[in-house]
Amino acid sequence: MSTVSQPPSAPAGPAGEFLHDFLLAAARHTPDAPAVIESPRPGATTVTTYAELGALVDAYADGLGALDIETGSRVVLESDTTAPAVAALLACSRAGLTFVPVSPETPRQRLESILATARPALHLQAADGTRTGLPPTTGTARFGPDGLTVDRAPGPHRPRRRVPCVTDPAYIIFTSGTTGRPKGVVMSHRAVTAFYRGMLAHRIAAPEDRVASTSPLQFDFSLLNIGLALGSGAAVVPVPPQLVRWPRHLLRVLRETGATQVNGVPSIWRQPLRYEPERLAALDRLRSVLFCGEEFPLPELRRLQELLPAARIINCYGATESMAASFEDVPRPLPDDVERLSIGVAHPGAEMLLVDASGTVVDRPGVPGEIHLRSPALFSGYWDDPEATRAALVPDPLCPQSGQVVLRTGDLAVRGEDGAFFFRGRTDSQVQINGNRVELAEVERRLTEFPGAAAATALALPLPDGGLELAAFVVPGAGRTPPDAGALREFCAAALPPYMVPQQIQLLDALPVTANGKVDRAALADAAARAV
Ligand code: ADP
């Protein structure tokens, strides 16, 4: 079993500011401790120790090094979260390459759009990955227990970089974008490790913890979980996405792996609370739950507290552009008169402030404003999109002369009397569907690409049992055969991830408009409510 050693080519950067250095520190101190615990099938729990993870990182980094890819190039990492996948992303970091995580469930068209945008040198998937037909300009390789297998070597390049730098992108996460193109959030090594430091100051996990991560690798929530676990010297327990959807399977994995913490979007709890409350309450090793991505419907949260009375529940607020911004313990038990959860204040090292529509900083309690985040953990920019970057990274409203930029989040909030923040919705039409970020404009754009569809509006409608569902209204083009809802849904599914495919689609002769000529979204919401 090998411990982690720095290869001779290791960058001479500030220690611990590279993602791999930060996350593999425990491999030097506690090589035999579990780093990744997996249980894809009943009775088949496997443990990868820190030393074993480090050895895999070494093997993959050697394999990547042998490909002689230019420092700073992108590697699309198509995988679910597994021990080898964690090693692969750390190996990219070690090799000075930027990883772009995508899910194996990503529709082909979306993957093609990501490939065309990110122009990666390499597509890397697990040994049993099934993706084929990748463009000839991209090298292809697989990672497995014995290292990397190269199917097609990346093309030659003219080397211009000498050493990796902590300001280089560690990863790019593609999220929904208003223009119809996925939007690439570029995070540097320095930003992500600064975020990890701020998060770890909250002492959310300890070395003996087993942190279940229910978020797919393509979302930065999974990188938060990996950072939380490995940065604490604890173990990460990746739950395969196909098991998260089934309460019995999810609870089995949690039981068999001895998970002490479960991290995921609030909707992962809906089915277990409804169908498996006894099994959920029997998870006696579970000490904490961290949720992120959207508000937790309070009736479900209260029920979760009843079933897990000893568990610490943490409301994590933030966006991919800074990984997250705050961690706030939910009062235990939640007082009856609480109507909204606090998102607290920014994590140590960062600060949130509110700015009103006129650009004035709001400091009185109860007055709404848009959250602006000052932090060493801000993203570098949207990949190849300077205009969107300028709109999100804006001059510090308190001191625009300084050249410092802050993140304009698009989130509205008010401050309570004690200074803590309360989320109050968005300034735009971005919504969260089961914790997944969706730009309604991206769904609308896809719908109007359908031959015969002239106009479309997408809405997120509240479900009776909490959460939101996507609904769409489509107007057929004059003189065209009206599209059929099933065909429209299939058309969306070919290019959009499942959570962006409208569950309800209605055809209308025209979209209702308000007095000032805008689409009347309220009237559409009423029409959708009447239709169910
Ligand atoms: P992440 O993957 O970090 O959760 P996304 O970039 O997918 O973030 O979505 C970010 C948006 O989700 C935020 O701007 C906010 O609107 C919403 N959000 C995230 N966490 C919370 C929370 N705890 N409570 C309310 N809304 C949240």
Side-chain angles (χ1 to χ4, degrees):
M1 224 158 269
S2 80
T3 50
V4 180
S5 58
Q6 290 291 317
S9 60
E17 280 198 283
F18 283 104
L19 183 65
H20 59 280
D21 282 340
F22 192 86
L23 294 188
L24 286 171
R28 285 190 287 276
H29 309 306
T30 53
D32 298 327
V36 187
I37 304 178
E38 294 167 89
S39 183
R41 286 175 306 284
T45 301
T46 57
V47 174
T48 304
T49 64
Y50 273 94
E52 287 163 340
L53 185 70
L56 267 184
V57 176
D58 288 346
Y60 295 166
D62 285 351
L64 289 170
L67 290 175
D68 192 28
I69 304 172
E70 169 75 323
T71 299
S73 301
R74 276 78 53 209
V75 173
V76 165
L77 181 58
E78 178 164 353
S79 178
D80 285 330
T81 315
T82 58
V86 173
L89 67 87
L90 293 173
C92 288
S93 166
R94 164 84 60 81
L97 303 171
T98 303
F99 65 93
V100 182
V102 300
S103 157
E105 291 181 2
T106 306
R108 167 158 295 276
Q109 256 180 275
R110 194 170 186 82
L111 177 67
E112 280 168 4
S113 155
I114 292 173
L115 294 173
T117 308
R119 288 177 285 102
L122 188 70
H123 174 273
L124 189 56
Q125 64 183 323
D128 59 358
T130 55
R131 189 70 73 177
T132 53
L134 291 152
T137 45
T138 309
T140 53
R142 290 167 183 276
F143 57 88
D146 303 319
L148 285 199
T149 320
V150 179
D151 299 320
R152 182 171 61 218
H157 67 275
R158 187 159 54 90
R160 282 177 294 184
R161 294 286 309 270
R162 200 169 55 83
V163 286
C165 192
V166 294
T167 51
D168 285 341
Y171 64 79
I172 306 174
I173 297 255
F174 279 89
T175 72
S176 181
T178 43
T179 58
R181 244 185 0 150
K183 201 167 173 182
V185 178
V186 179
M187 265 317 251
S188 70
H189 289 267
R190 174 172 280 175
V192 67
T193 52
F195 169 75
Y196 285 159
R197 286 196 177 86
M199 167 172 69
L200 294 178
H202 283 276
R203 307 212 173 282
I204 297 167
E208 60 282 4
D209 272 313
R210 298 175 168 209
V211 180
S213 174
T214 60
S215 185
L217 192 62
Q218 83 196 88
F219 299 119
D220 68 333
F221 197 177
S222 69
L223 300 174
L224 182 155
N225 295 331
I226 292 167
L228 177 60
L230 302 192
S232 306
V236 62
V237 179
V239 187
Q242 39 319 346
L243 302 187
V244 176
R245 293 171 201 145
W246 299 98
R248 268 203 189 193
H249 292 304
L250 169 63
L251 297 178
R252 177 201 62 76
V253 175
L254 300 181
R255 196 179 55 250
E256 289 189 16
T257 57
T260 59
Q261 177 171 141
V262 183
N263 297 357
V265 292
S267 60
I268 62 162
W269 297 104
R270 188 158 300 139
Q271 306 274 349
L273 286 171
R274 188 186 293 172
Y275 299 113
E276 299 289 348
E278 290 87 16
R279 279 194 172 81
L280 177 54
L283 292 174
D284 48 10
R285 297 193 59 182
L286 202 56
R287 287 203 300 263
S288 57
V289 165
L290 180 146
F291 70 89
C292 190
E294 62 188 354
E295 290 177 283
F296 208 129
L298 291 189
E300 290 178 351
L301 185 64
R302 291 182 198 281
R303 182 82 180 116
L304 189 62
Q305 280 192 331
E306 272 164 35
L307 295 176
L308 302 172
R312 174 182 180 193
I313 301 186
I314 301 162
N315 181 4
C316 165
Y317 155 81
T320 308
E321 285 81 346
S322 63
M323 207 167 220
S326 71
F327 298 85
E328 177 70 357
D329 278 53
V330 173
R332 189 171 61 190
L334 193 61
D336 288 341
D337 58 351
V338 166
E339 285 171 13
R340 260 191 138 138
L341 294 179
S342 162
I343 55 170
V345 296
H347 61 68
E351 189 173 68
M352 298 196 277
L353 72 159
L354 297 181
V355 177
D356 71 12
S358 71
T360 309
V361 175
V362 174
D363 36 28
R364 269 182 308 128
V367 180
E370 182 178 351
I371 300 179
H372 286 55
L373 178 68
R374 179 195 313 280
S375 166
L378 299 186
F379 77 128
S380 315
Y382 295 112
W383 177 260
D384 196 19
D385 198 342
E387 199 182 322
T389 304
R390 270 195 301 276
L393 291 176
V394 299
D396 173 7
L398 285 177
C399 188
Q401 303 81 350
S402 67
Q404 180 173 192
V405 290
V406 300
L407 172 65
R408 182 173 182 183
T409 61
D411 288 332
L412 292 169
V414 296
R415 224 188 267 252
E417 293 293 338
D418 62 353
F421 291 77
F422 290 81
F423 178 74
R424 284 281 188 275
R426 294 278 310 168
T427 58
D428 56 16
S429 66
Q430 180 184 302
V431 296
Q432 302 292 122
I433 300 289
N434 289 336
N436 299 304
R437 168 165 162 176
V438 177
E439 290 287 359
L440 293 174
E442 187 175 4
V443 180
E444 290 165 357
R445 194 182 164 109
R446 179 66 185 164
L447 286 163
T448 50
E449 280 167 8
F450 189 87
T457 295
L459 288 182
L461 299 175
L463 287 168
D465 60 352
L468 296 173
E469 80 165 355
L470 263 189
F473 301 85
V474 178
V475 179
R480 307 287 299 260
T481 323
D484 134 298
L488 274 166
R489 216 172 283 118
E490 263 174 46
F491 183 73
C492 287
L496 302 175
Y499 57 84
M500 289 181 70
V501 178
Q503 279 116 320
Q504 271 198 54
I505 299 186
Q506 284 187 41
L507 297 178
L508 297 178
D509 293 335
L511 293 171
V513 286
T514 59
N516 60 9
K518 289 188 186 177
V519 173
D520 190 343
R521 290 175 173 265
L524 288 172
D526 281 350
R530 279 197 305 275
V532 286

